[in-house]
Amino acid sequence: MIFVTVVINYLDRTNISIAAAALKEDLGINAIQMGYIFSAFGWTYSILQIPGGIVADKVKSRILYPVIMALWSIATLIQGMVNSFAALLGLRAGIGMFEAPSYPINNLIVTRWFPENERASAIATYTSGQFLGMALLLPVLTLIQDALGWRGLFIVSGIIGLVWAAVWYIFYRDPQNHNRIGSSELKHIEEGGGLVAMKEKNKTNKFEWNDLANAFKYRKLWGMYLGQFCLGATTIFFLTWFPTYLVEFRGLDFIKSGFYASVPYLAAFLGVLLAGFTSDFLIKKGHSSEVARKAPIITGMLLSIAIIGANYTEDTTLIIVFLSIAFFGNGLASIAWIFVSLIAPKKNIGLIGGTFNFIGGLSAVIVPIVIGYLVQDGDFSPALFFIGAMALLGLICYTFIVGKVERIVPKE
């Protein structure tokens, strides 16, 4: 269910990238303005990550998730009815606001439902939704837009989210409230480190400012935060400017670009699944968390630097190969959420997850605007150099700053 939710989440984040070329022409929007529209989602999404994490800790996931899902779906649908730069900017910011608690909720659910030695696989499975969903949906979305126009694309996307919000409310339960889970399974999860009863234990806890201080005073948390920002730079390029890069800079046909664009997403999907299941396999074989959890992330950031190779060829196949290697690496590194569930203080997992996604989400604010300025003369080469440099910085963060993978126990 989280996997499907993530697919819809990213559908509503990224359909703007499919619509961008037609939307720019119809509404007379230039590249710099388009950069701000791409970025608007990140403004509210990143700013509200910490409040979203706090709310995720306090409100039942069964209630909170369908409410925010319905709200961001309505904002998505209304995008198909507007005619101005300002309206699009506001609606994109609205989608970011309502999606803000989503990944802290995802992480909380996995922390409740899975023992630690299965958690990377679970995180990889739902995270893969953002890549497989777009790999399968990009060609479909281009065909929908070809048939119904960019307005129809937004309306169809919004309706899908509204339907799934109802499905979530009907079927989701936390493990201790699920009528199909037995005592032996609950025991298996809890003895393996799954926090199945965390809601009951934490429901009387009031927010304290010391909790917020805990989110910012540990070096290993800052290594995670900055690494997530760098990881996000590659992701955001593919979620925003990538279709424009193929159509306007590389001159591909719009329909054909949808099929070409799906290849790097498939590569990222394979990368995240490989990382998750390999990481858990290494843990079960007795390897340390430093090896099992960090190796996929460090390897992935290294591979992401390959995006620069696309600047040195005019061959479409080679361009897609370089971009696919880079996004495969991004997929490998996307299990970084495992560090939140393993390192954050137990009572602040939602808050730390929100902080992690807040700083990571700042990439969605900064990167689209930076790229908009870098490509305003029509040349995407500086943008790819910029993305490659961010991947290198992320590699440094995870290698030298995160340190030993162990849960933080704050002093009372």
Side-chain angles (χ1 to χ4, degrees), residues 291-367:
V291 173
R293 304 311 192 190
K294 281 187 178 181
I297 296 173
I298 292 171
T299 304
M301 299 301 270
L302 184 63
L303 290 174
S304 292
I305 301 171
I307 197 169
I308 295 172
N311 284 339
Y312 297 97
T313 180
E314 297 298 321
D315 183 88
T316 300
T317 301
L318 284 176
I319 291 167
I320 297 300
V321 167
F322 281 119
L323 293 171
S324 297
I325 292 171
F327 216 20
F328 173 80
N330 187 262
L332 279 177
S334 292
I335 63 163
W337 270 97
I338 188 68
F339 289 150
V340 176
S341 65
L342 295 176
I343 293 177
K346 286 185 178 181
K347 68 171 290 193
N348 303 130
I349 290 177
L351 172 59
I352 300 299
T355 309
F356 177 77
N357 225 22
F358 160 62
I359 296 176
L362 289 176
S363 62
V365 178
I366 297 168
V367 171

Side-chain angles (χ1 to χ4, degrees), residues 5 70 75 110 129 183 205 254 265 280 282 288 294 356 361 368 388 404 411:
T5 306
V110 167
S183 58
N205 286 350
F254 175 70
Y265 281 100
D280 278 349
L282 292 173
S288 69
K294 281 187 178 181
F356 177 77
K404 188 175 182 181
K411 294 180 181 179

Side-chain angles (χ1 to χ4, degrees), residues 132-155:
L132 181 62
M134 292 312 298
L136 299 178
L137 288 174
L138 273 171
V140 175
L141 294 177
T142 55
L143 292 173
I144 290 174
Q145 180 170 313
D146 190 55
L148 303 177
W150 62 268
R151 296 182 185 277
L153 174 62
F154 289 131
I155 292 170

Side-chain angles (χ1 to χ4, degrees), residues 378-389:
D379 183 8
F380 266 82
S381 298
L384 297 193
F385 280 117
F386 168 67
I387 299 301

Side-chain angles (χ1 to χ4, degrees), residues 20-21 23-35 37 83-86 88 248:
L23 189 152
K24 284 168 63 181
E25 183 177 348
D26 284 358
L27 302 185
I29 292 171
N30 61 38
I32 293 175
Q33 288 176 312
M34 201 68 232
I37 290 173
N83 294 294
S84 71
F85 166 74
L88 278 171
E248 295 188 1

Side-chain angles (χ1 to χ4, degrees), residues 117-181:
N117 65 0
E118 299 176 21
R119 208 170 289 161
S121 303
I123 290 172
T125 299
Y126 79 68
T127 302
S128 73
Q130 69 194 58
F131 302 123
L132 181 62
M134 292 312 298
L136 299 178
L137 288 174
L138 273 171
V140 175
L141 294 177
T142 55
L143 292 173
I144 290 174
Q145 180 170 313
D146 190 55
L148 303 177
W150 62 268
R151 296 182 185 277
L153 174 62
F154 289 131
I155 292 170
V156 170
S157 300
I159 291 171
I160 291 170
L162 288 171
V163 171
W164 186 250
V167 172
W168 181 277
Y169 179 76
I170 292 168
F171 289 103
Y172 178 76
R173 299 291 187 278
D174 286 333
Q176 70 274 20
N177 299 321
H178 202 291
N179 60 13
R180 294 182 62 188
I181 190 170

